[in-house]
Amino acid sequence: MSPPVFNFVDVKEKFTAAARQALSGKTCKHLITVFSQISGNETEKKTTLDQALRGVLGDQIIEQKTSCDDYLSLIYLSIDAVTEANAGICSATIPFVLLGDVLDCLPLDLCDKIFSFVEKNVSTWKSSSFYTAGKNYLLRMCNGVDLLRRLSKSQNTVFCGRIQLFLARLFPLSFYPGLNLQSQFNLDNITVFNKNEQESTLGQKQTDEKEDTMEVEEGEMGEDDAPAPCSIPIDYNLYRKFWTLQDYFRNPVQCYDKFSWMTFLKFSDETLAVFKSFKLDDMQASKRKMEDLRASDGGHVYFAKFLTSEKLMDLQLSDSNFRRHILLQYLILFQYLKGQVKFKSSSCVLNDDQSAWIEETTKLVYQLLRETPPEGEQFATMVEHILNTEENWNSWKNEGCPSFVKNRTSDDKPKRPTRKRQAPEDFLGKGPEPKIFMGNDELTRLWNLNQDNMEACKSESREFMPSLDEFFAEAIEQADPVNMVEEEYKVVRNPNYGWRALRLLSRRSPHFFQPTNQKFKSLADYLDTMVCKLAKELPDIPSEEIKTGEEDDDDNGDNLLKDSNDSPSIQSKTVTNHQMDDIAAKLGSQWKTLASHLEMKAAEMREIETDSEDVDVQAKLLLVAWQEREGSQATVENLATALSAAGFSQLAERLDNSIQNVK
């Protein structure tokens, strides 16, 4: 049985109804359900749904919706239909098609609101689901016949700028359709001005000004009521030469022509001379700036095209922003003329005189920028920095605009420098130079002292151990006060000597294993004591004046024996298990107070609390942990001291009494 024929009309009606219901519910779940229920090829169903969505949009436009929310809701629905469904129930291009239809049919004020939606969702357009499918649609919609050509560059300047910024955010820097690779100029940007001297009103204007000045009484208009006119006499020749320069800024290639260059040189010298002779006052420029801000409600005043009326010439020469604009055009032109551009013709080369004039004029332009208020120094520094940075972009374009994102291939991965592998006989000492390299000069020297190191280690000459008198002879001599050897110069202060002395004492001297009550701060102090003992025992070494320190040991031993006869043994002084049970029962829940005086850490206290919930057991665990940590120092005396410090004086006295009873 053959499959049923796909009915385009019926399916489109179902999709249209489902789309309207999805718009009312603001979710595409119902649309996805209907799409899955309809049988047929996926491609046919997607195409039908695309047509249904365009049909719904057409109905909305016919109804002449005054709000853009209905249009945007449908576009949001198409985006969800592409992203939320597993494989997408409509084409990835349908959101862009709907946007193009809306922008074609709406007036410019509503297009502004629709484009705000496009700007906010730039991250969506750059995602993998939409970028490949929609980049050409967006480029044609913004920069082609759809939107940008409907706008006036003089009246819709901000809107045009927003479109250009959106395209810059959407596409990478190396996107070729957005690059001017051949450095072409906008030759359509023609500045229109009066080129007929017969129609000029500059002479008539000066006469009218004189008559008006005679009619105004003295003191009737102050300085704050009218802008200060330019003090430079303005005639038609200055007006014509000034605005003729815009043609060279529009098309810099003319400067490479000999006759055109002479005209540009003459007109530029006169224009810059006017700027140099008429310097703007900082207060005057600040006042004009404040007036412009008040006139625009705080916004920045900007015009896409110059106003070339003869009546405005004197005011323009007094305007700091206008002057900066002209001077900046000079710097941009000079940078192009001097720079290396890939697509320049071979005939576009400056001679020495032209290069010298450009260098001198560049210095003059920067000087005029610094003298132009407000903040002329900062502005000139910023312009110089920007133009220097522009050189990097010129070099990048000359190289063909390579992408800034570089993927590292396996061939480009850094490789370790290859070294010629040594033959085994070379590093095993069997080559022409029988020398084994150990990686270190000192180790190499030691290893190569003998041809056969194993036999050298078995040599009878290595089986020796110095005697105590030979090894400690120098130390005993230095210990004698008669020799007056300072402590820092004694051999016992040498760590290497001390290490060998300990090894020798452990093999030769019985003093090494004898216990002593003396405490030594360093190895050198211990060796001093041992040297004194050895000096007394060893023959042929004078030791009468060397203090051995044995007297102190004997005294300490006698005192220790005396104390041991009068006091209980070590076992009797250690806290017993019975005593700990008694104290734990008395402490109870107050065991944490004693824990801090027993120097128990917070982690140990938490572990005790986790081991048992009974407070008596916790107190016993505390004492057991303390006993295990202190070992032989876990005495009754130390515990009684901690109890007294913690405020348990009665328990401390009871513990002392138990010891007295034992005695």
Side-chain angles (χ1 to χ4, degrees):
M1 184 177 179
S2 60
V5 180
F6 185 80
N7 193 331
F8 175 79
V9 178
D10 294 342
V11 175
K12 181 180 178 182
E13 291 179 357
K14 292 180 181 180
F15 281 152
T16 302
R20 295 185 186 277
Q21 186 174 352
L23 284 175
S24 60
K26 295 184 178 179
T27 177
C28 68
K29 293 182 179 180
H30 179 69
L31 191 59
I32 296 175
T33 304
V34 173
F35 185 88
S36 60
Q37 292 175 354
I38 296 176
S39 59
N41 190 300
E42 292 291 324
T43 305
E44 293 177 343
K45 291 194 293 183
K46 285 185 179 182
T47 306
T48 307
L49 181 56
D50 294 346
Q51 295 298 324
L53 293 176
R54 294 191 71 180
V56 173
L57 178 63
D59 295 340
Q60 290 180 348
I61 294 174
I62 292 174
E63 294 174 5
Q64 295 182 355
K65 301 282 188 179
T66 56
S67 174
C68 296
D69 296 337
D70 295 331
Y71 308 130
L72 297 180
S73 299
L74 183 60
I75 297 173
Y76 273 122
L77 180 64
S78 65
I79 294 175
D80 294 340
V82 175
T83 56
E84 290 190 7
N86 294 331
I89 61 175
C90 66
S91 304
T93 58
I94 191 60
F96 307 102
V97 174
L98 297 178
L99 278 172
D101 293 342
V102 170
L103 294 175
D104 283 343
C105 301
L106 294 183
L108 289 179
D109 54 344
L110 295 182
C111 287
D112 194 343
K113 298 179 181 179
I114 297 294
F115 191 75
S116 299
F117 160 80
V118 177
E119 289 177 309
K120 292 177 182 177
N121 290 274
V122 64
S123 57
T124 303
W125 315 135
K126 293 178 71 173
S127 63
S128 57
S129 303
F130 293 102
Y131 182 76
T132 304
K135 61 180 181 180
N136 292 331
Y137 282 92
L138 287 173
L139 185 62
R140 183 170 60 251
M141 179 180 66
C142 295
N143 204 23
V145 298
D146 294 340
L147 184 59
L148 193 59
R149 294 190 181 183
R150 293 173 56 191
L151 300 175
S152 171
K153 293 184 179 180
S154 58
Q155 297 181 3
N156 306 110
T157 309
V158 177
F159 199 173
C160 294
R162 287 171 54 194
I163 294 175
Q164 299 292 348
L165 289 176
F166 166 75
L167 294 175
R169 292 171 57 195
L170 178 65
F171 297 107
L173 288 174
S174 55
F175 187 60
Y176 279 94
L179 300 174
N180 183 14
L181 292 177
Q182 297 184 359
S183 300
Q184 296 177 350
F185 301 100
N186 183 16
L187 301 181
D188 296 334
N189 184 23
I190 300 176
T191 302
V192 181
F193 61 95
N194 183 19
K195 298 182 180 180
N196 189 356
E197 186 176 2
Q198 303 298 329
E199 299 176 359
S200 175
T201 59
L202 286 174
Q204 181 181 357
K205 177 182 175 183
Q206 294 177 359
T207 307
D208 295 341
E209 286 180 354
K210 292 181 180 180
E211 295 177 356
D212 294 340
T213 305
M214 296 177 63
E215 294 178 358
V216 176
E217 295 182 2
E218 184 178 357
E220 185 175 345
M221 180 178 295
E223 294 180 357
D224 298 336
D225 297 332
C230 176
S231 59
I232 302 297
I234 301 173
D235 54 5
Y236 177 77
N237 288 330
L238 177 60
Y239 169 82
R240 178 180 58 83
K241 294 176 182 178
F242 182 85
W243 289 115
T244 303
L245 291 173
Q246 291 299 319
D247 191 58
Y248 293 92
F249 298 145
R250 177 183 65 91
N251 186 14
V253 182
Q254 301 179 75
C255 295
Y256 292 108
D257 181 69
K258 180 179 179 181
F259 297 101
S260 299
W261 171 258
M262 296 303 298
T263 305
F264 171 75
L265 182 66
K266 179 181 178 182
F267 291 179
S268 296
D269 288 340
E270 295 186 15
T271 301
L272 294 176
V274 171
F275 285 159
K276 187 176 181 180
S277 60
F278 179 59
K279 296 183 179 180
L280 299 180
D281 184 24
D282 196 3
M283 295 299 296
Q284 178 181 347
S286 300
K287 183 178 68 174
R288 291 185 180 279
K289 185 176 181 181
M290 292 302 298
E291 290 176 355
D292 292 340
L293 290 176
R294 293 192 194 100
S296 59
D297 296 331
H300 183 64
V301 180
Y302 174 74
F303 297 99
K305 295 291 291 182
F306 290 115
L307 301 177
T308 58
S309 174
E310 298 175 350
K311 299 179 180 179
L312 299 176
M313 190 66 185
D314 55 344
L315 298 177
Q316 288 171 334
L317 293 178
S318 304
D319 187 359
S320 59
N321 289 332
F322 181 82
R323 178 173 296 194
R324 284 174 172 174
H325 200 126
I326 302 300
L327 295 175
L328 186 56
Q329 284 181 310
Y330 271 108
L331 295 177
I332 296 173
L333 172 65
F334 293 160
Q335 186 181 48
Y336 173 79
L337 295 177
K338 296 186 300 181
Q340 298 293 330
V341 181
K342 183 177 181 180
F343 292 94
K344 266 187 182 181
S345 174
S346 58
S347 60
C348 297
V349 180
L350 297 174
N351 55 38
D352 295 339
D353 294 338
Q354 291 174 331
S355 301
W357 182 87
I358 288 177
E359 291 294 334
E360 295 177 1
T361 310
T362 302
K363 296 178 182 178
L364 175 60
V365 170
Y366 275 117
Q367 178 184 352
L368 293 175
L369 283 175
R370 294 186 182 93
E371 295 174 353
T372 303
E375 300 176 352
E377 287 286 346
Q378 297 181 9
F379 183 82
T381 304
M382 178 185 65
V383 168
E384 187 174 7
H385 174 71
I386 292 175
L387 293 178
N388 290 335
T389 308
E390 192 70 18
E391 292 291 342
N392 299 328
W393 293 106
N394 292 338
S395 302
W396 177 65
K397 291 179 68 175
N398 290 336
E399 295 171 1
C401 303
S403 175
F404 288 95
V405 180
K406 296 184 178 180
N407 297 323
R408 176 179 291 179
T409 60
S410 57
D411 299 336
D412 297 335
K413 291 183 179 179
K415 298 180 180 179
R416 294 182 178 179
T418 57
R419 295 183 300 176
K420 183 180 179 181
R421 186 174 181 179
Q422 292 180 325
E425 57 270 11
D426 292 339
F427 59 83
L428 291 179
K430 299 179 181 179
E433 296 181 2
K435 188 175 183 181
I436 299 177
F437 295 93
M438 303 298 297
N440 180 284
D441 293 340
E442 186 63 20
L443 288 177
T444 302
R445 183 188 67 81
L446 292 174
W447 188 268
N448 291 276
L449 288 176
N450 196 287
Q451 293 293 334
D452 193 343
N453 286 310
M454 294 302 298
E455 293 297 329
C457 292
K458 296 177 183 179
S459 174
E460 295 181 359
S461 61
R462 289 185 53 84
E463 297 180 3
F464 73 94
M465 182 183 298
S467 61
L468 292 175
D469 53 351
E470 293 176 357
F471 186 82
F472 286 100
E474 183 181 1
I476 293 174
E477 183 181 359
Q478 292 178 351
D480 191 349
V482 178
N483 296 325
M484 302 177 64
V485 179
E486 298 180 6
E487 289 292 328
E488 58 180 333
Y489 297 110
K490 291 183 178 180
V491 292
V492 294
R493 303 293 173 183
N494 186 348
N496 188 17
Y497 180 87
W499 177 74
R500 289 184 293 156
L502 288 178
R503 293 191 61 189
L504 183 61
L505 289 172
S506 65
R507 301 289 297 274
R508 299 281 191 181
S509 175
H511 296 292
F512 185 79
F513 298 100
Q514 290 181 355
T516 179
N517 292 330
Q518 289 182 278
K519 296 183 178 179
F520 304 101
K521 295 182 179 180
S522 63
L523 175 61
D525 296 338
Y526 171 75
L527 290 178
D528 280 336
T529 305
M530 299 301 295
V531 165
C532 293
K533 291 182 180 181
L534 293 174
K536 187 177 181 180
E537 296 176 353
L538 296 177
D540 301 332
I541 297 180
S543 59
E544 291 78 8
E545 297 185 4
I546 302 177
K547 185 178 180 180
T548 62
E550 289 184 349
E551 295 81 2
D552 296 337
D553 289 345
D554 295 340
D555 295 341
N556 293 335
D558 295 340
N559 294 334
L560 183 61
L561 292 175
K562 184 178 179 181
D563 293 341
S564 64
N565 295 330
D566 298 338
S567 60
S569 63
I570 299 298
Q571 289 289 338
S572 63
K573 294 175 66 177
T574 306
V575 180
T576 63
N577 191 27
H578 176 72
Q579 291 171 337
M580 288 193 295
D581 291 338
D582 187 25
I583 294 174
K586 298 294 183 183
L587 283 175
S589 59
Q590 299 179 343
W591 65 272
K592 292 184 180 180
T593 308
L594 177 62
S596 60
H597 294 276
L598 292 179
E599 299 181 356
M600 301 297 292
K601 298 180 181 179
E604 297 174 333
M605 295 172 64
R606 286 195 298 269
E607 185 178 356
I608 291 173
E609 290 178 335
T610 10
D611 290 343
S612 176
E613 297 181 356
D614 190 354
V615 292
D616 294 339
V617 177
Q618 292 176 354
K620 177 64 179 296
L621 291 174
L622 168 69
L623 296 174
V624 171
W626 170 73
Q627 187 184 45
E628 291 178 353
R629 187 190 66 192
E630 297 296 329
S632 61
Q633 298 298 323
T635 61
V636 174
E637 182 182 359
N638 292 338
L639 181 58
T641 304
L643 287 170
S644 301
F648 303 107
S649 303
Q650 295 181 356
L651 291 178
E653 293 176 1
R654 185 171 180 175
L655 189 61
D656 290 336
N657 293 334
S658 65
I659 294 300
Q660 297 296 331
N661 294 334
V662 173
K663 293 181 182 180

